[in-house]
Amino acid sequence: MDKLAIVVPCYNEEEVLEIASKALRQVLDDLIGKNKIHRESFILFVNDGSRDRTWELIEKEHREHPAQVRGVKLAGNVGHQYALTAGLITAKDRCDVSVSIDADLQDDVDVIEEMIDKYHQGCDIVYGVRRERKTDTFFKRTTAQGFYKVMAMMGVKTVYNHADFRLMSRRAMEQFALYKESNLFLRGIMPTIGYRTDSVYYDRKERVAGESKYPLKKMLALAFNGISSFSVKPMSMIMWAGVVILLCSVLAAVYALISYFTGQVVPGWTSLILSIWFLGGLQLIATGMVGLYIGKIYMEVKHRPRYNIETVLEKKTDEL
Ligand code: UDP
Ligand code: MG
């Protein structure tokens, strides 16, 4: 029987913590009752430097339910992606399979069972995907969907409408731990791990209590980080803009020369306008090219694993 760890990053979640703990303990009990997970499965709360009573509540939950509730306290606020990473890396040596979920219970805890079923059918990563976003405000919905579109345009492989509600097997967590980069964008990393994956669908609910810890500023930072960590396309876009402007400089030259010979110009205008277009284009190309090399250096210094071997078939020979 496999041991499940439910990893929950928490930042200033005093209003929801006890509710979340209760709901998730119920999920564990149900799954244990149905013989789908090990009796020693647990919830791992990661306190991401909360400034409220979150940690005291986690300690209290742990005191009352020592077997089922565990906690990790980070020394300061590092943000959702890093808090979740800390949780997954802590959990990976203590469980066989993990499910990550937000503390606010916006993601449907009832599909965890479906995730576990898919895991038993051989999936290593199961994505929780939102069916629709009725409960999100118009603003959040459009910005979030714009985010997935821009990511796709930039060539970053992500699962559409999947946030960080996901099941990972132990070997998927182990492979994930090999990604040593410090700019983490989990939704971009997970699809590069490989293995068999699947999705479960659910309707996203309202926050149980408290308010969003992801204001627009943090969302933009996440989007920018996602793009810049996975794509050097912005650089090549700059370079291509340079090429287009350089081509335009030919048209500008024709126009400037015609104006010059028809004598309708102020002295000096022709040479000025020609230099502006030509040099502008050239400069953009040069900047873009430098950027592309920096992009390569950036990708190299991440030291990402280049592949993930799943199985090796070989005949075992007797030891010499
Ligand atoms: N969170 C975190 N650190 C932060 C911000 C958020 O650990 O700096 C956690 C938060 O407690 C929650 C999850 O990340 O469990 C998602 O945050 P939230 O629900 O506020 O985001 P939203 O659903 O509004 O996008
Ligand atoms: Mg939320």
Side-chain angles (χ1 to χ4, degrees):
M1 202 56 59
D2 287 332
K3 207 192 272 186
L4 167 71
I6 302 183
V7 181
V8 193
C10 310
Y11 174 61
N12 293 349
E13 299 285 11
E14 60 182 6
E15 285 121 319
V16 298
L17 202 107
E18 284 161 305
I19 310 172
S21 170
K22 191 156 175 254
L24 292 172
R25 276 185 284 115
Q26 187 62 49
V27 170
L28 289 183
D29 287 340
D30 284 351
L31 289 172
I32 293 167
K34 288 182 184 161
N35 247 337
K36 292 194 174 178
I37 54 172
H38 195 279
R39 268 187 304 108
E40 284 165 24
S41 297
F42 59 94
I43 306 163
L44 182 68
F45 286 109
V46 183
N47 176 33
D48 183 17
S50 302
R51 280 185 213 94
D52 62 2
R53 288 175 48 247
T54 302
W55 180 245
E56 280 95 90
L57 291 174
I58 295 173
E59 284 178 321
K60 183 176 144 267
E61 287 294 315
H62 173 64
R63 255 193 324 273
E64 287 168 12
H65 313 276
Q68 283 192 310
V69 178
R70 300 188 194 182
V72 173
K73 184 184 187 190
L74 299 180
N77 178 247
V78 291
H80 173 237
Q81 300 283 293
Y82 298 96
L84 182 49
T85 303
L88 288 174
I89 299 215
T90 312
K92 92 176 163 38
D93 304 320
R94 297 170 167 82
C95 67
D96 303 298
V97 52
S98 73
V99 168
S100 52
I101 188 167
D102 290 350
D104 56 10
L105 299 182
Q106 281 191 288
D107 305 316
D108 189 356
V109 293
D110 295 333
V111 299
I112 294 181
E113 180 172 355
E114 215 181 309
M115 286 178 161
I116 295 286
D117 291 341
K118 301 228 176 203
Y119 166 72
H120 287 311
Q121 287 158 19
C123 290
D124 282 273
I125 303 180
V126 183
Y127 300 106
V129 176
R130 276 170 233 170
R131 216 175 269 130
E132 44 194 325
R133 290 172 162 267
K134 265 190 281 182
T135 53
D136 281 347
T137 59
F138 173 75
F139 180 73
K140 179 108 194 177
R141 193 166 58 227
T142 35
T143 46
Q145 275 168 352
F147 165 76
Y148 292 108
K149 297 239 165 74
V150 172
M151 294 302 268
M153 233 168 68
M154 292 289 171
V156 188
K157 223 169 97 188
T158 50
V159 179
Y160 191 70
N161 264 347
H162 155 72
D164 286 303
F165 180 28
R166 125 176 33 83
L167 174 143
M168 291 176 83
S169 68
R170 183 170 185 158
R171 63 176 185 171
M173 287 187 276
E174 259 156 20
Q175 180 68 12
F176 165 64
L178 297 180
Y179 285 72
K180 303 287 184 203
E181 60 202 81
S182 43
N183 281 294
L184 275 177
F185 180 64
L186 302 181
R187 280 169 244 180
I189 291 177
M190 298 310 171
T192 66
I193 289 180
Y195 293 137
R196 202 170 126 194
T197 64
D198 206 338
S199 303
V200 295
Y201 297 87
Y202 67 98
D203 294 314
R204 190 157 153 105
K205 298 189 210 122
E206 307 262 8
R207 227 174 198 284
V208 175
E211 47 193 52
S212 174
K213 311 295 182 288
Y214 253 101
L216 183 65
K217 202 173 128 218
K218 273 195 193 169
M219 262 171 62
L220 284 177
L222 180 75
F224 182 73
N225 188 18
I227 292 166
S228 59
S229 298
F230 278 85
S231 167
V232 287
K233 264 212 175 145
M235 296 301 176
S236 52
M237 277 161 71
I238 291 178
M239 207 179 90
W240 285 111
V243 172
V244 170
I245 288 177
L246 205 65
L247 290 177
C248 289
S249 82
V250 177
L251 298 179
V254 173
Y255 172 67
L257 288 175
I258 290 173
S259 311
Y260 179 73
F261 285 116
T262 51
Q264 297 160 344
V265 294
V266 189
W269 178 81
T270 317
S271 51
L272 257 181
I273 210 72
L274 280 180
S275 338
I276 287 174
W277 277 93
F278 184 72
L279 288 177
L282 216 58
Q283 275 167 348
L284 274 186
I285 292 179
T287 316
M289 263 159 101
V290 172
L292 282 181
Y293 281 96
I294 294 180
K296 291 214 166 180
I297 296 171
Y298 177 54
M299 291 300 168
E300 291 291 337
V301 296
K302 282 179 192 277
H303 286 298
R304 278 189 191 164
R306 282 164 296 181
Y307 47 77
N308 178 10
I309 295 179
E310 186 164 358
T311 347
V312 178
L313 280 184
E314 61 188 349
K315 189 162 158 264
K316 290 252 162 22
T317 46
D318 292 336
E319 265 167 279
L320 293 171

